[in-house]
Amino acid sequence: MVNIYNSSKNAIQSLIKENKTNTSFIPTILLLVTIPLSYAINNIALGLFVLFAILGVKKTNIKVRFPILLPILLYVLMAVSYFWSIDQPATLSALSKEVSLLLIPLAFIVFKDFTPVQKQKIIQYYSYAMVCFAIYFLVRAVIRYFISGDSRVFFYHGEDYIDFGLVPKLLNAIHVSVFTGVAFFYFLTKSVKTKIDVFLSLLLFGFMVLLSSKNILLSVVFLILIYVIFFTKTSYKMRLRNLLIMITLVGVVFSFGKIKNRLQHEFQTNSDKSISANVLEGVPAGVHYVSIAEAWSNPKFTPNDYFTGTAFRVYQFRVFCELVNEEEVFWNGFGLNASYPKIEEKAKFYNLFLGSNENEGYQNKNFHNQYVQNFAELGVFGFLLLLLLLVGNVKSALQSKDFVHFAFSFLMISLFLTESFLWRQRGVVFFTLLYCLFNSGTLTKGSQPD
């Protein structure tokens, strides 16, 4: 108890000290740690964040940097898309959800620059907050298991009408995995680790395993390998050897005949297994699972055809390609959040399952791919802006030699392949805030402080 009291006291004193140096320090932390909470609480935190930016305008020198302008340009394109949108009410409604792309970068332009140490401390406080969230949901799952006896409370997320998962559907297990992943790499990459740091790393990794996002787990494991091989102290002595070992292993894996045949089998076989999570829950028994090959090539489907997460994303990419060929949307897209009518038309044309009293249908789902979503709704310029954001973020991460920044960059690139993350309020706040934090002011050098 004494140690907990002393740690809490030191943390509060550190917060106060840093906030005296930079009055945006606490508002930034509040906005970041409230992302997993209700929209109302996070909106209040965003309001305070912007208010402190406005109050501090006269006290700071405004510095405009190109990387910070990119999210603003993306939002401007979203706003302008209203004039050609095929669903103007939907576009207008979505602009308020995406406003973080405008407000957060503007705040960073007028904020006093964070020092590298302050940036690291912001990530530190965020990481401990994510530990608290993980513990809360794990304890919640144990209590619910003893009440219901349903083991589903330990995995993924439930549905809107039945909250049987580890986290509520509104939070989305895939998104929580990403939030947790950044915190995990904070503890993993500390130069001097205590037993508590090791325990918290294992706790967060176990939490991600239970969240069951295969895409994020594969990305995290890959990043762990990269860190161990290239970024740890011993890696500098063994880099060439490790690189040769890694190349050899990759070569063996991809040249091994049985594995090659297995991948081909998975591509062509109907299975309920998938790299990404199923799009619909509560799938009845006896249905036909669409293979990846069928999702791309079938001329028609039936309401008894169900898609795994991977197959559905292939189908959605097929729809996107057809829409680009059939509609004049290459340059400007359908407009922000205005692609849904076209997706629904395609779902009806291909005779997909359109829902029932118990289950929702496929026609109301977005593209589940941020690159495709940007291209379909904002045209080629929206797509290129997104690529500029991601490429610039990776370049900045490599220059900073901050592995948490690099992990964030890689996780975003990977996540955008399977989720329209920026089209969700929590997603756009999380991405924009960390993007601006990592890419503003003085670049962080090295890993986090002890």
Side-chain angles (χ1 to χ4, degrees):
M1 290 297 293
V2 174
N3 290 335
I4 294 175
Y5 171 77
N6 289 333
S7 298
S8 301
K9 182 180 178 181
N10 292 336
I12 293 172
Q13 289 176 343
S14 178
L15 274 172
I16 295 172
K17 178 183 176 182
E18 296 296 346
N19 205 66
K20 286 180 179 178
T21 305
N22 190 331
T23 55
S24 59
F25 184 75
I26 290 179
T28 301
I29 292 174
L30 281 176
L31 181 57
L32 193 56
V33 302
T34 57
I35 289 173
L37 299 178
S38 70
Y39 291 133
I41 294 175
N42 191 237
N43 285 337
I44 292 171
L46 178 61
L48 290 173
F49 179 82
V50 173
L51 177 62
F52 274 86
I54 294 171
L55 294 175
V57 169
K58 295 181 180 179
K59 301 177 183 178
T60 60
N61 296 320
I62 296 176
K63 298 178 181 178
V64 181
R65 296 180 177 85
F66 178 71
I68 306 301
L69 285 178
L70 290 177
I72 298 175
L73 291 176
L74 182 57
Y75 186 79
V76 169
L77 181 58
M78 290 176 174
V80 173
S81 74
Y82 171 82
F83 296 102
W84 63 74
S85 173
I86 64 171
D87 190 348
Q88 290 185 330
T91 298
L92 189 62
S93 175
L95 284 173
S96 61
K97 183 172 60 180
E98 302 294 333
V99 75
S100 296
L101 284 168
L102 174 67
L103 296 180
I104 293 176
L106 286 175
F108 271 88
I109 287 173
V110 301
F111 275 166
K112 180 181 178 181
D113 285 340
F114 291 117
T115 65
V117 172
Q118 286 174 332
K119 290 183 182 182
Q120 292 165 354
K121 285 188 176 181
I122 289 171
I123 298 300
Q124 178 186 33
Y125 284 109
Y126 166 76
S127 300
Y128 279 106
M130 286 308 303
V131 167
C132 293
F133 282 116
I135 292 173
Y136 166 76
F137 283 114
L138 290 170
V139 172
R140 173 180 179 261
V142 171
I143 294 172
R144 297 172 76 206
Y145 177 75
F146 281 115
I147 294 173
S148 66
D150 190 341
S151 61
R152 291 181 299 174
V153 299
F154 290 107
F155 304 99
Y156 201 53
H157 60 234
E159 284 300 297
D160 294 327
Y161 52 90
I162 303 178
D163 180 16
F164 54 74
L166 180 59
V167 298
K169 173 69 179 291
L170 190 62
L171 269 181
N172 191 307
I174 299 172
H175 298 178
V176 176
S177 293
V178 174
F179 303 157
T180 307
V182 173
F184 165 75
F185 282 107
Y186 164 77
F187 293 108
L188 180 71
T189 59
K190 290 185 71 174
S191 55
V192 179
K193 299 181 187 67
T194 64
K195 291 181 180 179
I196 293 177
D197 294 326
V198 174
F199 171 75
L200 294 180
S201 298
L202 294 173
L203 174 71
L204 291 177
F205 185 80
F207 186 57
M208 285 188 288
V209 170
L210 294 176
L211 287 168
S212 310
S213 172
K214 301 181 186 71
N215 176 27
I216 301 305
L217 274 176
L218 288 172
S219 299
V220 167
V221 170
F222 178 76
L223 285 167
I224 292 172
L225 292 174
I226 294 295
Y227 175 72
V228 170
I229 294 173
F230 295 104
F231 287 85
T232 54
K233 292 179 181 178
T234 56
S235 68
Y236 291 99
K237 300 177 181 178
M238 301 184 293
R239 180 167 294 177
L240 180 60
R241 188 193 72 178
N242 290 337
L243 181 60
L244 290 173
I245 291 173
M246 188 174 181
I247 292 173
T248 303
L249 288 174
V250 171
V252 169
V253 167
F254 283 95
S255 63
F256 197 55
K258 289 184 178 179
I259 295 177
K260 180 180 178 181
N261 292 336
R262 177 60 182 167
L263 290 173
Q264 185 176 4
H265 177 75
E266 286 292 333
F267 181 82
Q268 297 176 339
T269 302
N270 315 101
S271 171
D272 60 350
K273 304 299 180 183
S274 171
I275 293 175
S276 47
N278 284 355
V279 180
L280 301 183
E281 298 293 336
V283 178
V287 300
H288 171 264
Y289 281 95
V290 177
S291 70
I292 294 174
E294 290 172 339
W296 181 255
S297 60
N298 271 18
K300 290 285 183 177
F301 299 93
T302 73
N304 195 50
D305 288 332
Y306 277 76
F307 293 81
T308 62
T310 307
F312 183 70
R313 285 161 175 81
V314 170
Y315 162 79
Q316 289 286 64
F317 184 71
R318 171 188 180 181
V319 166
F320 162 72
C321 293
E322 292 177 359
L323 290 175
V324 170
N325 288 328
E326 297 167 1
E327 311 274 350
E328 297 180 1
V329 293
F330 178 85
W331 295 107
N332 51 14
F334 292 112
L336 176 65
N337 214 40
S339 60
Y340 287 97
K342 294 298 180 178
I343 292 174
E344 184 172 359
E345 286 178 13
K346 285 291 183 179
K348 292 178 179 178
F349 172 79
Y350 283 113
N351 196 31
L352 265 59
F353 174 68
L354 301 180
S356 63
N357 293 333
E358 294 80 23
N359 298 304
E360 60 181 340
Y362 291 107
Q363 76 280 10
N364 296 322
K365 302 293 183 181
N366 62 32
F367 284 107
H368 282 71
N369 183 310
Q370 191 63 62
Y371 307 102
V372 170
Q373 199 82 41
N374 270 53
F375 207 132
E377 298 187 353
L378 303 175
V380 65
F381 295 111
F383 173 71
L384 292 176
L385 269 175
L386 180 64
L387 290 186
L388 276 175
L389 277 163
L390 296 176
V391 172
N393 196 30
V394 172
K395 180 182 177 181
S396 176
L398 294 175
Q399 290 174 343
S400 70
K401 299 180 181 178
D402 179 4
F403 194 81
V404 176
H405 184 182
F406 178 76
F408 165 72
S409 306
F410 186 87
L411 286 172
M412 290 299 99
I413 292 171
S414 176
L415 178 68
F416 287 179
L417 289 170
T418 61
E419 296 292 319
S420 297
F421 189 61
L422 298 184
W423 264 232
R424 295 288 179 260
Q425 184 171 325
R426 289 189 180 89
V428 72
V429 173
F430 178 80
F431 173 81
T432 310
L433 184 55
L434 283 186
Y435 171 86
C436 290
L437 179 67
F438 285 129
N439 291 279
S440 64
T442 307
L443 291 177
T444 305
K445 293 292 182 181
S447 59
Q448 294 77 2
D450 300 335

